[in-house]
Amino acid sequence: MKEIFQTILEFLATPLVQYGDLTISIFSILKVVILILLLQLVLIILKKFLRFQIKSRELHHGDIMAIYQIVKYILVVVVVVMILANLGINTTLLWTSSAALMVGVGMGLQNIFKDVLSGIMILFGKVVRVGDIVEVGDILGRVIEIHLRTSKMVTRDDIDMVVPNSKFVEDNVINWTLDNSHVRLMLKVGVAYGSDIELVRDILLNVAKRNKEVIDKPEPKVRFSDFGDSSLDFQLLFWTNEVFRQEFVKSDLRFEVDKEFRKANITIPFPQRTVWHQRES
């Protein structure tokens, strides 16, 4: 029995391919497969554990995804090094011999390295997390994935957008949900001179309080902002959790304000200009 077992081990260890330090045998192939399967198993267990932490509300969803991505990259690098060592490749010599090549390649891949470094900063710094609503340039979107080089956003038009991570670090980015889930928005409206401004204020406040997307605390406020050229200008300040749908919330409020103003005979004026024309004699 011992001889049979020894024969099997010798057969498994017999090199199928051998080139320099590279040695591939059935046994080494089995170890590579086992390492990959173990990596997949560890990642599955880690993901389930982190999802449990989300359900228990001990960690933010964005923090969970950041931790998972960081651990995943570290484990992948460790497994790759173990696989190379298992095949007989000297990883130290590999990195040393390729250092000059990497420097040359790095000069041509500066943007990629910049994005990767920015991705590490994002994952550790938590400035942008999965689920956050951010504004990059003129585009507002929800972050749905953060990877090492790029991140994925979905816009209000349901368009998937891939953003280089360096955009989040170098550009001016507005994170609408970094610390608070609600934000303050403003609706501008002008009424004709001579209007009952107390009634205007009451109508604006009532419209805001009736809207289900406007939260109660902090309470909506009305500000008399200016005496305009053609109108008395007001600002309706309100808070909402619907950051992603803020334009629809404003639209609903405008519909209601216009309807209530018509009932109360309050006019929203349009700009008027007087043009004087002098006839030459």
Side-chain angles (χ1 to χ4, degrees), residues 3 6 31 36 49 81 97 101-102 104-105 113 125 132-133 144-145 151 154 156 166 169 178-179 219 253:
E3 294 179 355
Q6 186 69 27
K31 286 197 291 185
I36 294 175
F49 172 75
V81 172
S97 60
L101 177 63
M102 291 298 293
V105 173
F113 289 147
D132 284 355
I133 298 173
I144 56 177
E145 292 179 5
S151 297
V154 58
R156 287 180 290 189
S166 59
V169 177
L178 180 61
D179 295 320
E219 295 182 351
L253 290 173

Side-chain angles (χ1 to χ4, degrees), residues 22-178:
L22 176 63
T23 302
I24 299 178
S25 63
I26 297 177
F27 189 60
S28 63
I29 294 175
L30 288 176
K31 286 197 291 185
V32 169
V33 172
I34 291 173
L35 284 173
I36 294 175
L37 292 177
L38 285 176
L39 173 63
Q40 294 293 331
L41 179 62
V42 170
L43 291 177
I44 291 173
I45 294 174
L46 176 65
K47 184 175 287 188
K48 289 185 177 180
F49 172 75
L50 294 177
R51 284 178 177 173
F52 174 77
Q53 297 299 317
I54 294 177
K55 292 180 180 179
S56 62
R57 296 184 178 180
E58 294 184 9
L59 290 173
H60 186 273
H61 181 260
D63 297 337
I64 294 295
M65 295 305 299
I67 293 172
Y68 177 76
Q69 291 291 346
I70 293 170
V71 175
K72 177 182 175 181
Y73 292 132
I74 293 174
L75 290 177
V76 168
V77 171
V78 171
V79 169
V80 169
V81 172
M82 292 176 66
I83 290 175
L84 293 176
N86 175 66
L87 297 177
I89 300 176
N90 190 337
T91 54
T92 303
L93 179 62
L94 178 65
W95 288 113
T96 303
S97 60
S98 61
L101 177 63
M102 291 298 293
V103 171
V105 173
M107 295 299 292
L109 300 177
Q110 291 183 23
N111 289 335
I112 294 179
F113 289 147
K114 181 172 62 176
D115 292 335
V116 171
L117 181 60
S118 299
I120 295 174
M121 295 173 62
I122 292 172
L123 291 172
F124 279 102
K126 302 177 184 178
V127 178
V128 177
R129 301 173 297 189
V130 173
D132 284 355
I133 298 173
V134 299
E135 187 173 343
V136 183
D138 297 329
I139 300 176
L140 182 71
R142 188 189 304 275
V143 179
I144 56 177
E145 292 179 5
I146 298 178
H147 297 288
L148 199 58
R149 194 177 73 84
T150 62
S151 297
K152 188 176 180 180
M153 293 171 46
V154 58
T155 68
R156 287 180 290 189
D157 298 321
D158 287 333
I159 298 174
D160 291 336
M161 180 178 175
V162 178
V163 182
N165 286 332
S166 59
K167 287 285 186 181
F168 294 117
V169 177
E170 297 179 347
D171 294 358
N172 293 326
V173 177
I174 299 176
N175 191 331
W176 290 81
T177 53
L178 180 61

Side-chain angles (χ1 to χ4, degrees), residues 184-190 200 203-205 207-208 211 214 220-225 232-239 246-258 261 268:
R184 193 195 77 173
L185 301 177
M186 180 173 63
L187 190 71
K188 297 180 180 180
V189 61
V200 170
I203 290 176
L204 292 176
L205 289 175
V207 166
N211 190 290
V214 177
K221 299 181 182 298
V222 173
R223 185 160 58 197
F224 190 167
S225 60
L232 302 173
D233 298 332
F234 290 84
Q235 296 173 346
L236 172 60
L237 309 176
F238 62 95
W239 284 257
Q246 58 180 275
E247 296 303 326
F248 288 99
V249 177
K250 291 180 180 179
S251 176
D252 292 340
L253 290 173
R254 292 188 184 101
F255 274 113
E256 289 299 315
V257 167
D258 182 72
F261 277 4
I268 300 177

